[in-house]
Amino acid sequence: MDLFLWVKSLHVISIIAWMAGMLYLPRLFVYHADAEIGSVQSETFKVMERRLLKAIINPSMIAAWIFGLWAAYELSAWQDGWFHAKLTLVLIMSGVHGYLSRCVKAFAADRNTRSQRFYRILNEVPTVLMVVIVILVIVKPF
């Protein structure tokens, strides 16, 4: 078996898990923002958000980076323009991930100051980044 096919497969699996979490977590924030502080509902959202971040989003992001960089090395993609653009967008996605992590901490401490509308809009950011990244990887426009 070709090792690269395994690396690429693990990279895609990691991305799917990472994106699933990145799309679901802001949706939880939408509902959590309207929950009364200290309510059973609010406390349940805290557990769900923490578990999603720690058990799915963080490990899958790390795996996506490891297998993605490995795949880039195998492909010698470092000099390709599409790869530079993809890498930039993945860095931005990682920044969004960091921001979502901060939001989890703010909700856990009952210090959220954002509205559910803010989180509805924030929920679209990973989607837009994902669409552009996939186009860059598949189409390789430059």
Side-chain angles (χ1 to χ4, degrees):
M1 272 271 168
D2 186 4
L3 178 61
F4 176 71
L5 294 178
W6 283 101
V7 170
K8 188 163 65 168
S9 296
L10 291 170
H11 181 57
V12 171
I13 291 165
S14 300
I15 291 166
I16 291 169
W18 187 22
M19 289 309 305
M22 292 287 286
L23 296 173
Y24 186 47
L25 189 58
R27 180 57 47 190
L28 288 175
F29 295 159
V30 167
Y31 301 118
H32 195 170
D34 284 342
E36 187 176 325
I37 291 176
S39 68
V40 172
Q41 185 181 28
S42 177
E43 297 306 309
T44 300
F45 282 128
K46 288 177 187 181
V47 171
M48 293 171 68
E49 291 158 359
R50 186 186 78 249
R51 287 182 180 170
L52 179 62
L53 182 66
K54 301 292 182 186
I56 296 173
I57 301 175
N58 288 347
S60 60
M61 180 196 71
I62 292 166
W65 269 101
I66 290 169
F67 294 119
L69 291 173
W70 190 349
Y73 172 78
E74 293 290 330
L75 288 172
S76 299
W78 305 105
Q79 56 271 55
D80 297 337
W82 69 267
F83 180 74
H84 293 173
K86 175 197 174 186
L87 186 59
T88 299
L89 293 176
V90 173
L91 285 167
I92 293 168
M93 183 78 76
S94 297
V96 172
H97 177 136
Y99 181 76
L100 294 178
S101 297
R102 285 193 4 232
C103 292
V104 168
K105 290 178 184 174
F107 274 111
D110 294 323
R111 287 185 284 113
N112 173 55
T113 59
R114 304 287 187 170
S115 69
Q116 58 97 2
R117 179 169 160 63
F118 173 82
Y119 293 114
R120 286 185 191 278
I121 294 167
L122 180 62
N123 193 46
E124 303 307 320
V125 174
T127 304
V128 171
L129 290 169
M130 177 191 61
V131 167
V132 177
I133 290 168
V134 169
I135 291 169
L136 287 168
V137 171
I138 303 298
V139 178
K140 294 180 177 62
F142 46 87

